[in-house]
Amino acid sequence: HNVLLLTLSCLLKLNEDPTVHGVALHLSENAYSNKILNAVKPEKDVDGVSDVNLGRLVRGDTYNCSISPTASAVMELLEKLVKTVDGKKVLLVGTCGPLEASLQCLLQRKGAMTMSCQWKTQQLQSKVNIFLSSMVGTIHRSPHTTVRNCLHLLGHRITCTFMTEHARLCLHCFQVWFRRNSSSTRDSMDNRLWITPTPLGEGKSTVTIGLVQALTAHLNVNSFACLRQPSQGPTFGVKGGAAGGGYAQVIPMEEFNLHLTGDIHAITAANNLLAAAVDARILHESTQSDKALYNRLVPVVNGVREFSSIQLARLKRLGINKTDPGTLTADEISKFVRLDIDPSTITWQRVLDTNDRFLRKITIGQANTEKGFFRQAQFDIAVASEIMAILALTTSLADMKERLGKMVVANDKNGQPVTAEDLGVTGALAVLMKDAIKPTLMQTLEGTPVFVHAGPFANIAHGNSSVLADKIALKLVGEGGFVVTEAGFGADIGMEKFFNIKCRTSGLVPSVVVLVATVRALKMHGGGPNVTAGAPLKKEYTEENLQLVADGCCNLQKQIQIAQLFGVPVVVALNVFKTDSHAEVDLVCEIAKQSGAFDAVPCNHWSAGGRGAVELAQAVRKAASQENSFKYLYNLELPIIEKIRIIAQKVYGAEDIELSPVAQSQISRYSKQGFGNLPICMAKTHLSLSHQPERKGVPTGFILPISDVRASIGAGFIYPLVGTMSTMPGLPTRPCFYDIDLDPDTEQVKGLF
Amino acid sequence: HNVLLLTLSCLLKLNEDPTVHGVALHLSENAYSNKILNAVKPEKDVDGVSDVNLGRLVRGDTYNCSISPTASAVMELLEKLVKTVDGKKVLLVGTCGPLEASLQCLLQRKGAMTMSCQWKTQQLQSKVNIFLSSMVGTIHRSPHTTVRNCLHLLGHRITCTFMTEHARLCLHCFQVWFRRNSSSTRDSMDNRLWITPTPLGEGKSTVTIGLVQALTAHLNVNSFACLRQPSQGPTFGVKGGAAGGGYAQVIPMEEFNLHLTGDIHAITAANNLLAAAVDARILHESTQSDKALYNRLVPVVNGVREFSSIQLARLKRLGINKTDPGTLTADEISKFVRLDIDPSTITWQRVLDTNDRFLRKITIGQANTEKGFFRQAQFDIAVASEIMAILALTTSLADMKERLGKMVVANDKNGQPVTAEDLGVTGALAVLMKDAIKPTLMQTLEGTPVFVHAGPFANIAHGNSSVLADKIALKLVGEGGFVVTEAGFGADIGMEKFFNIKCRTSGLVPSVVVLVATVRALKMHGGGPNVTAGAPLKKEYTEENLQLVADGCCNLQKQIQIAQLFGVPVVVALNVFKTDSHAEVDLVCEIAKQSGAFDAVPCNHWSAGGRGAVELAQAVRKAASQENSFKYLYNLELPIIEKIRIIAQKVYGAEDIELSPVAQSQISRYSKQGFGNLPICMAKTHLSLSHQPERKGVPTGFILPISDVRASIGAGFIYPLVGTMSTMPGLPTRPCFYDIDLDPDTEQVKGLF
């Protein structure tokens, strides 16, 4: 079979040519370049790149077609196409049923007759897939197609349930695969993170995407990216969209930044149902006698009175081995009906996926109907919910349900933990989360498959994407394939938690650490002036300044050393901006290698797509073949304080730690309650290796203050607070929403960058 | 082509028979009866029906196959099937691509080879569709298939984007159809409501579903049901699931009662973004100078300083016709940057789709970061958001965007309304709602298509399903087809609002009013003892009592008279419970006809499916062919007070109305602000025609007290409060969630009834 590159005009000739098995459209530059310009609008902090790249679009290059404007824009293009074939026969390149069907439907609407054929080899398939996706753009089946191709190679079958413009993966299938091929020793896992960043961010997402694009589309290695789902709050607040950028983007970008498949909404619903249950229970217990409570909790329905299964479970925990509600003694009834929650110990907060600063501290229960049981409370941003952390760490429905039940919401008046299970809400929470546990499948501009799943708040949780997505992706890429997964924030935050918490849970061993650096951030660490979002960059950052770069590399060096503590090879990816000079780039790579990095390479994925990250991909593949002596930093059996000290000293470079009285009492309580063997999830700023954001470079000789210690028992970690962590962002004077708009005719979303 | 009914065992024989074009499986009773028992679990207030009906399942009746267990249960059945055909060739009945594809994929997973053929006639198609859905159950494509069949007949084409187990309709297509065939004079619209109910409900949803099942599957009339999406809060609180019941159900029932396609979550996100914007704006204005505000609202980005389009629009409203930020005078700047919101006038509340009584009255902004700007506020249940009312009344994306912008959130210090548009958030709200505006397509147990869209809170909003769904459904059923749409609560609430608000917006004219009555409710109105959920029914309701029924019919009579005020023929549907005696049923129908109903018929859809509502369907079809002299109850130009009085006197039977001082001042404010010509949306209890729930039958001689008057300017109505309306339900001592659970292996949801 052969593929032809052609323009709309000569399309019809195909109908005469019997040797042509497929039409692979190469849309003419002027047909879509403006759409693309729109799609690769310069990021706030990098300008003038798009026009530089427009040159690429003119060359008759198959990968151009992979640049995918928004659905509505593509519909236009498709209309153009089908107009030219009006009433004629068109041979389509079929990849898999659904995509083909949509295409045919669209062509038939214009009266065209269609036929199709299947490509046999992967390479053609993926090319074809790219071509088709350039014609039908972000149409819902495209991601599915992509993964179907991967699966086809692995001889796997997969059923998907489609969401608007994504595919959701059916958990069933994957659990089967785990069983079928559960050893993960040979799995290549590539764990990406970045140096201590500037407030602007250093291109975390773009490197992940550029790397998989390079691996799959240019080196023909099966690869998968696993990203976190961004919180919707900041998207409308100060941060704006987060789908990568330039030619290294996840598409459809709009959906990625909006509701997507509703996972975060599900978390909000589950989290708040539990919160409502806590306060309602306190109210009901305080206003009813044991007998009244018992009659309501175990009512007579159609003449029968019986415990629900979750109530029977509670009876067991209470050591009451009875199943007939009639046989409980007054004392047993009292034990059963009263959770005796101490309101002052409630740690479970309500959440919203909105930047609503006025909910940071509130008083609830002030209506008369709540009979004076008001108390102080707060709303956190939804991604800060423990349920999000659970979603990111769980390995199956059964495991998730167990974790949800174990979540501690408060203590009772004897200091014993009260859980979601005690409140009888475990099953309901699992039901609310039953779809969210399925990773959402999307794709990059170049058609590389991407899993978007979970996005725990990096400040108070571990901040990594989901274990489930990583495991599923590893099965999909097969042996020798690569899974690139995000480990948000610097090595001190993202990587340490990735290794000590996520890897412990998943049992997966990373093959390579990719450390993302930018000249700009290194200059800052070298003593450059402050960088603030919005404000124009100072000239130190826009003009060559080798001294600042050299001085700043101490931070890079430290990050490399931290990675080496875990025995995993490090590849430094220097995310090149157009303002960086060659000398600066070379200097960074030089120093990085001297500092023990396996390799250090510049990347231009932002402006050149996967092609701009080929060198990185090669270095990563080489590093992955190295001997790997991965080890955890600490033993779970160590006392909580010891574990905290190890992280503070070995990772942050602190002299020692200092515990507040609150922190001390919390630690001893958790140890008493039997939670002493959990891993530690430090809640520390990511803007400095220390606890003081303004201290750049490699601070030393500081004492790390631990103000408080909390626990996410369901997620399975203790999190010490280093200073105060805001868990609810606010809206600035001019939020992003001023620029966000919807065109009612094209349904095109504007300003979501 | 011929269809065969056969059991699993003789399936393989088919491969030899060349005349067989399709396999229509008739699963053996014992293979699924327990699943069905589970699916038709008796409702809380009706017991012993399921065993009565189990009889039906044994008979080799094609419609049995339409009873659809949960997806996972069906997967089991399918596994059974494919095991028996292992490696063999199977001829499948194809309806349309996607469904076929899923089936084939599932069979191929078991190594079976498949072929398929298309049925040509509708009847076979719908039968086949029912068979297939009995094999693949609630699999995602089934609803799509159903509508594809309808469309096929109408010569329409439709593109769908699939959601988990539903299909979402692409708005584009339908707008095209509107243009193509916009006159709606011939449209049959059948508007269903019920008499003043008992606290148990009288089978509102089941009649809707039973009726369309009868119309489509038994009378072969194209029909569509338009239902409201239930709020998730009550599902986990006291009410439980709401997907109809027995053999008149919407499937998949679980999804219907959970997140579905996320519309309510989108509303929550949009509503709360606006709320956060209001308080943040007040804070920023109070803590910054005009100059500082201006510099932040119109910043210099990459050297350029310009207004966003929404800011330019605001300048126009302020009468400032300038586009260069540099040219505004100090006075103009001040006018531009200051909304001067008066916190005491904020009417925009935050919402959650959770029954959280502790949020009924709260104090927000108590954190130091909010600098002492705390105030009293509240959370409402999400469906009470004005955005939900807008979703239910809007007719297009452009219209929705305009309504969102017009929403009034507060007054400024000069008493002028402040809108979402003033806050610059209109576009963002539209973006958040861009998918929610697309109705969700589901199906009944018998494969009749159902639109689920919007569900405004009936107490403070108009409580009807969406205009868009009705209009789309009307196009789909085509001429002579029927659309049955819900108008929640009694004629005094649901129907009056349906006619005066929804019909005015949509311009659609209803052909028939179906009034749902139950013997139980009529007995209550006749003076029977109180009825309370959970508690067992008193004998007056379980034993024949003709006197109570006769006395109670006064309420039914009044409801019929109200319907006649609008000039639409009324058909009374008596929802028969197994405890009703023949004499009671006959008596009600007799009195109903004497009272002016076009017809009155008993229905057994709950226990018999569509078949049990055939008589009703025939009556409705007959009534729809009658002359129709539809008219509104009042003129929009009348003063607000007049409009309220007309509703109170003509509909409720009140002597007069009595306005509180607050109500009076609000009315004069709204009149001054130019909102006097909006329709009225009464916020009154549905448990009595009066404002006192305990007054049953037909109360007279009462004065209706109007405590307050509010306005939903975006939705487009004024809503007077009759007494106090709770806008946030609470959790009882034993919420439904005690019985709700998820089986981690089968993914089956339990207890969601």
Side-chain angles (χ1 to χ4, degrees):
Chain A
H1 301 340
N2 57 347
V3 191
L4 300 185
L5 287 187
L6 40 108
T7 59
L8 289 174
S9 58
C10 58
L11 177 68
L12 300 180
K13 294 208 191 70
L14 281 174
N15 291 335
E16 281 66 65
D17 183 341
T19 70
V20 176
H21 293 263
V23 178
L25 268 190
H26 176 217
L27 302 166
S28 67
E29 186 244 332
N30 60 3
Y32 61 80
S33 58
N34 59 330
K35 304 282 169 18
I36 291 155
L37 275 174
N38 183 15
V40 297
K41 209 171 227 140
E43 279 187 342
K44 295 169 208 63
D45 52 324
V46 187
D47 40 37
V49 182
S50 48
D51 42 280
V52 173
N53 299 323
L54 194 52
R56 287 188 59 245
L57 309 179
V58 197
R59 277 190 272 106
D61 169 345
T62 61
Y63 285 97
N64 290 354
C65 298
S66 72
I67 291 145
S68 175
T70 65
S72 58
V74 173
M75 294 303 284
E76 264 177 54
L77 300 181
L78 198 61
E79 294 298 333
K80 274 211 195 70
L81 153 65
V82 290
K83 225 184 263 102
T84 67
V85 302
D86 209 351
K88 300 287 187 315
K89 190 181 97 199
V90 179
L91 287 153
L92 277 180
V93 177
T95 51
C96 85
L99 177 54
E100 201 180 296
S102 343
L103 260 167
Q104 293 195 345
C105 167
L106 282 157
L107 287 164
Q108 284 162 1
R109 237 200 297 162
K110 288 286 179 182
M113 290 168 47
T114 60
M115 286 175 52
S116 66
C117 69
Q118 298 280 336
W119 295 107
K120 288 289 155 282
T121 79
Q122 168 196 26
Q123 225 198 342
L124 278 174
Q125 262 195 346
S126 71
K127 273 222 180 65
V128 164
N129 178 28
I130 289 162
F131 282 124
L132 288 180
S133 70
S134 77
M135 283 161 60
V136 295
T138 59
I139 196 158
H140 5 295
R141 291 3 168 273
S142 198
H144 179 222
T145 314
T146 316
V147 91
R148 271 293 273 267
N149 295 342
C150 316
L151 288 169
H152 188 74
L153 295 168
L154 304 172
H156 286 308
R157 289 200 173 284
I158 157 182
T159 58
C160 281
T161 65
F162 297 114
M163 305 292 287
T164 25
E165 287 175 319
H166 330 281
R168 257 187 191 290
L169 293 169
C170 166
L171 212 53
H172 265 336
C173 319
F174 298 109
Q175 282 165 344
V176 173
W177 296 333
F178 290 153
R179 278 185 234 107
R180 197 197 296 166
N181 163 15
S182 60
S183 95
S184 57
T185 49
R186 297 283 310 276
D187 293 334
S188 298
M189 167 92 113
D190 167 4
N191 149 235
R192 217 196 30 40
L193 50 107
W194 57 353
I195 63 167
T196 309
T198 68
L200 301 181
E202 308 313 321
K204 189 155 47 85
S205 306
T206 58
V207 173
T208 316
I209 297 160
L211 178 53
V212 290
Q213 288 183 156
L215 284 164
T216 298
H218 297 268
L219 303 190
N220 289 318
V221 175
N222 287 341
S223 80
F224 230 109
C226 294
L227 302 180
R228 295 169 297 181
Q229 180 181 359
S231 167
Q232 206 169 243
T235 303
F236 292 95
V238 70
K239 177 167 144 296
Y247 289 88
Q249 269 193 49
V250 175
I251 56 172
M253 181 271 283
E254 293 84 353
E255 303 311 317
F256 182 80
N257 286 308
L258 295 172
H259 312 287
L260 201 60
T261 45
D263 295 352
I264 296 180
H265 292 322
I267 287 164
T268 305
N271 182 99
N272 294 341
L273 176 60
L274 180 52
V278 171
D279 285 303
R281 182 62 177 250
I282 294 173
L283 175 69
H284 292 307
E285 283 189 26
S286 330
T287 54
Q288 294 175 44
S289 67
D290 289 0
K291 192 169 176 313
L293 280 169
Y294 194 55
N295 289 340
R296 289 196 172 82
L297 283 169
V298 194
V300 180
V301 178
N302 303 329
V304 225
R305 184 177 199 182
E306 51 189 4
F307 293 112
S308 69
S309 49
I310 199 160
Q311 290 177 324
L312 288 169
R314 171 164 168 77
L315 284 171
K316 260 208 185 54
R317 285 199 302 285
L318 293 171
I320 305 170
N321 295 321
K322 298 182 178 178
T323 57
D324 173 2
T327 61
L328 265 65
T329 67
D331 180 52
E332 289 170 333
I333 288 176
S334 174
K335 268 167 77 183
F336 171 74
V337 299
R338 299 210 171 270
L339 300 181
D340 262 329
I341 293 170
D342 172 357
S344 69
T345 65
I346 296 175
T347 50
W348 194 260
Q349 307 297 354
R350 290 161 174 83
V351 301
L352 277 185
D353 195 17
T354 310
N355 284 15
D356 193 346
R357 52 188 300 164
F358 275 70
L359 298 180
R360 283 171 182 164
K361 195 178 188 189
I362 63 178
T363 304
I364 61 171
Q366 294 179 308
N368 302 336
T369 49
E370 277 56 68
K371 311 194 171 92
F373 285 95
F374 55 85
R375 68 179 185 91
Q376 201 143 72
Q378 76 191 53
F379 272 80
D380 295 337
I381 188 84
V383 292
S385 168
E386 179 173 354
I387 296 177
M388 174 59 97
I390 288 176
L391 182 66
L393 288 170
T394 191
T395 52
S396 71
L397 269 178
D399 173 73
M400 180 175 73
K401 198 172 142 186
E402 191 190 333
R403 290 171 179 267
L404 290 170
K406 285 197 309 199
M407 295 188 297
V408 173
V409 298
N411 292 315
D412 64 18
K413 291 178 177 137
N414 310 322
Q416 288 311 303
V418 178
T419 65
E421 178 78 8
D422 292 323
L423 285 152
V425 72
T426 309
L429 298 182
V431 166
L432 283 166
M433 293 293 294
K434 76 181 172 53
D435 295 319
I437 196 177
K438 300 171 185 173
T440 298
L441 179 62
M442 297 183 77
Q443 67 181 333
T444 71
L445 278 175
E446 293 177 7
T448 327
V450 176
F451 275 139
V452 180
H453 201 218
F457 203 53
N459 292 352
I460 63 163
H462 65 301
N464 301 148
S465 69
S466 88
V467 166
L468 217 38
D470 289 353
K471 289 196 160 194
I472 294 171
L474 280 165
K475 298 306 168 208
L476 291 178
V477 296
E479 298 213 341
F482 278 82
V483 172
V484 183
T485 188
E486 259 191 291
F489 293 164
D492 52 325
I493 297 289
M495 186 179 67
E496 181 273 317
K497 293 172 179 176
F498 180 89
F499 287 143
N500 288 318
I501 299 175
K502 187 179 176 184
C503 289
R504 266 191 237 257
T505 316
S506 67
L508 295 175
V509 175
S511 320
V512 185
V513 167
V514 176
L515 196 60
V516 180
T518 62
V519 166
R520 179 178 64 191
L522 291 171
K523 283 176 170 176
M524 186 190 65
H525 288 296
N530 272 348
V531 176
T532 40
L537 279 169
K538 299 257 174 3
K539 71 170 182 9
E540 286 81 351
Y541 295 102
T542 54
E543 296 167 5
E544 175 171 293
N545 188 325
L546 294 168
Q547 192 53 50
L548 278 182
V549 175
D551 297 347
C553 280
C554 59
N555 182 282
L556 176 58
Q557 187 171 26
K558 170 69 174 170
Q559 302 271 351
I560 294 169
Q561 288 160 358
I562 296 173
Q564 287 170 329
L565 285 177
F566 297 87
V568 183
V570 181
V571 171
V572 172
L574 183 59
N575 185 16
V576 177
F577 289 14
K578 77 182 215 302
T579 50
D580 302 345
S581 79
H582 284 299
E584 289 175 326
V585 171
D586 297 342
L587 178 61
V588 176
C589 296
E590 204 32 62
I591 297 178
K593 284 180 229 167
Q594 286 163 10
S595 312
F598 174 83
D599 200 351
V601 296
C603 311
N604 301 292
H605 50 276
W606 198 97
S607 53
R611 187 163 295 176
V614 169
E615 208 187 335
L616 172 64
Q618 280 154 340
V620 165
R621 192 154 58 156
K622 204 132 153 280
S625 62
Q626 298 292 301
E627 256 322 304
N628 184 320
S629 57
F630 175 70
K631 55 182 172 304
Y632 302 123
L633 188 64
Y634 56 79
N635 231 317
L636 290 182
E637 286 61 40
L638 292 173
I640 292 175
I641 299 182
E642 268 323 295
K643 288 182 274 196
I644 299 175
R645 183 174 285 116
I646 289 174
I647 295 169
Q649 293 175 332
K650 291 205 182 164
V651 178
Y652 307 158
E655 193 82 13
D656 198 358
I657 59 172
E658 189 177 52
L659 299 169
S660 72
V662 189
Q664 255 149 354
S665 69
Q666 284 291 76
I667 289 176
S668 53
R669 164 187 279 163
Y670 290 135
S671 311
K672 261 199 233 76
Q673 293 180 342
F675 305 137
N677 289 349
L678 292 174
I680 304 300
C681 183
M682 299 295 283
K684 179 183 86 63
T685 177
H686 58 287
L687 294 174
S688 166
L689 283 163
S690 77
H691 55 288
Q692 293 148 311
E694 62 283 3
R695 294 189 65 178
K696 302 303 178 189
V698 182
T700 50
F702 57 93
I703 304 289
L704 195 78
I706 309 297
S707 56
D708 195 356
V709 175
R710 309 219 179 114
S712 292
I713 302 306
F717 54 72
I718 303 282
Y719 62 101
L721 299 184
V722 181
T724 52
M725 288 288 131
S726 164
T727 50
M728 175 55 93
L731 289 175
T733 305
R734 187 190 192 284
C736 299
F737 60 62
Y738 271 90
D739 305 309
I740 295 172
D741 200 3
L742 180 74
D743 181 322
D745 302 322
T746 63
E747 282 188 52
Q748 198 159 347
V749 176
K750 297 179 204 141
L752 206 56
F753 291 96
Chain B
H1 301 340
N2 57 346
V3 191
L4 299 187
L5 289 187
L6 39 108
T7 58
L8 291 174
S9 57
C10 58
L11 178 67
L12 301 181
K13 294 208 191 69
L14 280 175
N15 292 334
E16 280 66 66
D17 183 342
T19 71
V20 175
H21 293 263
V23 178
L25 267 190
H26 177 215
L27 302 165
S28 68
E29 185 248 331
N30 60 2
Y32 61 78
S33 59
N34 59 328
K35 304 284 172 12
I36 291 156
L37 274 174
N38 184 15
V40 297
K41 206 173 232 142
E43 280 186 343
K44 296 170 206 64
D45 52 323
V46 186
D47 42 37
V49 182
S50 49
D51 42 278
V52 174
N53 299 323
L54 193 51
R56 289 188 57 247
L57 309 180
V58 197
R59 277 191 272 109
D61 169 346
T62 61
Y63 285 96
N64 290 354
C65 297
S66 72
I67 291 142
S68 176
T70 64
S72 58
V74 173
M75 293 301 284
E76 263 177 55
L77 300 181
L78 199 59
E79 294 296 334
K80 274 210 196 72
L81 154 65
V82 292
K83 225 184 263 102
T84 67
V85 302
D86 210 351
K88 298 292 188 310
K89 189 180 99 203
V90 179
L91 286 154
L92 277 180
V93 177
T95 50
C96 85
L99 177 55
E100 200 180 298
S102 345
L103 260 168
Q104 293 195 346
C105 166
L106 283 156
L107 288 163
Q108 284 161 1
R109 238 205 291 166
K110 288 287 181 182
M113 289 167 47
T114 60
M115 286 175 52
S116 67
C117 69
Q118 298 280 336
W119 296 107
K120 289 289 157 280
T121 79
Q122 169 195 25
Q123 227 201 341
L124 279 174
Q125 264 195 345
S126 72
K127 272 223 180 66
V128 164
N129 179 27
I130 289 162
F131 283 125
L132 288 181
S133 70
S134 78
M135 284 160 60
V136 294
T138 59
I139 197 157
H140 7 292
R141 287 10 164 271
S142 200
H144 180 220
T145 315
T146 315
V147 93
R148 272 291 275 268
N149 295 343
C150 315
L151 287 170
H152 187 73
L153 295 168
L154 304 171
H156 286 308
R157 288 200 173 283
I158 159 182
T159 57
C160 281
T161 64
F162 296 114
M163 305 291 287
T164 23
E165 286 175 320
H166 330 282
R168 257 186 191 291
L169 292 171
C170 167
L171 212 52
H172 267 335
C173 321
F174 299 108
Q175 282 163 346
V176 172
W177 295 334
F178 288 156
R179 277 184 235 107
R180 197 197 297 164
N181 164 15
S182 60
S183 94
S184 57
T185 49
R186 298 283 309 276
D187 292 335
S188 299
M189 167 93 113
D190 167 4
N191 149 237
R192 216 197 31 36
L193 50 108
W194 56 352
I195 63 168
T196 310
T198 68
L200 301 180
E202 308 314 321
K204 191 153 47 86
S205 307
T206 59
V207 173
T208 317
I209 298 161
L211 178 53
V212 291
Q213 287 183 155
L215 284 164
T216 300
H218 297 269
L219 304 190
N220 288 317
V221 174
N222 287 341
S223 81
F224 230 110
C226 293
L227 301 180
R228 294 168 297 181
Q229 180 182 359
S231 167
Q232 205 169 245
T235 303
F236 292 95
V238 70
K239 177 168 145 296
Y247 289 88
Q249 269 193 48
V250 176
I251 56 172
M253 181 271 283
E254 294 84 352
E255 303 311 317
F256 182 80
N257 286 308
L258 295 172
H259 311 288
L260 201 60
T261 45
D263 295 352
I264 296 180
H265 293 323
I267 287 165
T268 305
N271 181 98
N272 294 340
L273 177 60
L274 180 53
V278 171
D279 284 304
R281 182 62 176 249
I282 294 174
L283 176 69
H284 292 307
E285 283 189 26
S286 331
T287 54
Q288 293 175 46
S289 68
D290 288 0
K291 194 169 175 314
L293 281 169
Y294 193 55
N295 289 340
R296 289 196 172 83
L297 284 169
V298 193
V300 180
V301 179
N302 302 329
V304 223
R305 183 178 200 181
E306 49 188 5
F307 293 112
S308 69
S309 49
I310 199 160
Q311 290 177 323
L312 288 168
R314 172 165 166 78
L315 285 171
K316 261 208 185 52
R317 285 198 303 285
L318 293 171
I320 305 171
N321 295 321
K322 298 181 178 178
T323 57
D324 174 1
T327 61
L328 267 65
T329 68
D331 179 53
E332 289 171 333
I333 288 176
S334 173
K335 268 166 77 183
F336 172 75
V337 299
R338 299 209 173 271
L339 300 182
D340 262 328
I341 294 170
D342 172 357
S344 69
T345 66
I346 296 175
T347 49
W348 194 260
Q349 307 297 355
R350 290 162 173 83
V351 301
L352 277 185
D353 195 17
T354 309
N355 284 16
D356 193 345
R357 52 189 299 164
F358 275 70
L359 298 179
R360 283 170 182 165
K361 195 177 189 190
I362 63 178
T363 303
I364 61 171
Q366 294 179 308
N368 302 336
T369 49
E370 279 55 69
K371 313 193 170 93
F373 285 95
F374 55 83
R375 66 179 186 90
Q376 201 143 72
Q378 74 190 55
F379 272 79
D380 295 336
I381 188 85
V383 291
S385 168
E386 179 174 355
I387 297 178
M388 174 59 97
I390 288 177
L391 182 66
L393 288 169
T394 191
T395 53
S396 71
L397 270 178
D399 172 73
M400 179 175 75
K401 200 172 138 185
E402 191 189 333
R403 289 171 180 268
L404 290 170
K406 285 197 308 198
M407 296 188 297
V408 173
V409 298
N411 292 314
D412 64 20
K413 288 175 180 140
N414 310 321
Q416 289 310 303
V418 178
T419 65
E421 179 78 8
D422 292 324
L423 286 154
V425 72
T426 309
L429 298 182
V431 166
L432 283 166
M433 293 293 293
K434 76 180 172 54
D435 295 318
I437 197 176
K438 300 171 185 173
T440 299
L441 180 62
M442 299 184 75
Q443 67 181 335
T444 71
L445 277 175
E446 292 177 7
T448 328
V450 177
F451 274 140
V452 180
H453 200 218
F457 203 53
N459 291 352
I460 63 162
H462 65 300
N464 301 148
S465 70
S466 89
V467 165
L468 219 38
D470 289 354
K471 289 197 159 194
I472 295 171
L474 280 165
K475 299 305 169 208
L476 291 178
V477 295
E479 298 215 342
F482 279 81
V483 172
V484 185
T485 187
E486 258 190 294
F489 293 164
D492 53 326
I493 298 289
M495 187 178 66
E496 182 273 315
K497 294 172 179 175
F498 181 89
F499 287 143
N500 288 318
I501 299 174
K502 188 179 176 184
C503 289
R504 265 190 236 258
T505 316
S506 66
L508 295 175
V509 174
S511 320
V512 185
V513 167
V514 176
L515 196 59
V516 181
T518 61
V519 166
R520 180 179 64 192
L522 291 171
K523 283 176 170 175
M524 185 189 66
H525 288 296
N530 274 348
V531 177
T532 40
L537 279 169
K538 301 258 176 1
K539 73 170 181 7
E540 286 80 352
Y541 295 101
T542 54
E543 296 169 6
E544 175 171 293
N545 188 325
L546 293 168
Q547 193 51 53
L548 278 182
V549 175
D551 297 346
C553 280
C554 59
N555 183 282
L556 176 58
Q557 188 169 27
K558 169 71 174 170
Q559 303 270 352
I560 293 169
Q561 287 159 1
I562 296 173
Q564 286 169 331
L565 286 176
F566 297 87
V568 183
V570 181
V571 171
V572 172
L574 182 59
N575 186 15
V576 177
F577 289 11
K578 75 181 217 301
T579 49
D580 303 344
S581 79
H582 284 298
E584 288 174 328
V585 170
D586 297 342
L587 179 60
V588 175
C589 296
E590 203 33 60
I591 297 177
K593 284 180 232 168
Q594 285 161 12
S595 313
F598 175 83
D599 200 351
V601 295
C603 312
N604 301 292
H605 49 276
W606 197 95
S607 53
R611 187 164 293 178
V614 169
E615 208 186 336
L616 172 63
Q618 280 153 340
V620 165
R621 192 153 58 155
K622 202 132 154 280
S625 62
Q626 298 293 302
E627 255 324 301
N628 185 320
S629 56
F630 175 71
K631 55 183 171 302
Y632 302 124
L633 188 64
Y634 56 79
N635 229 315
L636 290 182
E637 287 61 40
L638 292 173
I640 293 174
I641 299 183
E642 268 323 295
K643 287 182 273 194
I644 298 175
R645 184 174 286 115
I646 289 174
I647 295 170
Q649 293 174 331
K650 291 207 181 163
V651 177
Y652 307 159
E655 193 83 13
D656 198 355
I657 59 172
E658 189 176 51
L659 299 169
S660 73
V662 189
Q664 256 149 354
S665 70
Q666 284 290 75
I667 288 176
S668 52
R669 164 187 281 163
Y670 290 135
S671 310
K672 261 199 235 75
Q673 293 180 342
F675 304 136
N677 289 349
L678 292 174
I680 304 300
C681 184
M682 300 294 284
K684 180 183 84 65
T685 177
H686 59 286
L687 294 175
S688 167
L689 283 163
S690 77
H691 54 289
Q692 293 149 310
E694 63 282 5
R695 293 189 65 177
K696 302 303 179 189
V698 182
T700 49
F702 58 92
I703 306 289
L704 194 79
I706 309 297
S707 56
D708 195 357
V709 175
R710 308 218 180 115
S712 293
I713 302 306
F717 53 72
I718 303 282
Y719 62 100
L721 299 184
V722 181
T724 53
M725 289 287 129
S726 165
T727 50
M728 175 55 93
L731 289 175
T733 305
R734 187 191 192 283
C736 299
F737 61 61
Y738 271 90
D739 305 308
I740 296 172
D741 200 2
L742 180 73
D743 181 322
D745 302 322
T746 63
E747 283 188 50
Q748 196 160 348
V749 176
K750 296 179 205 144
L752 206 56
F753 290 97

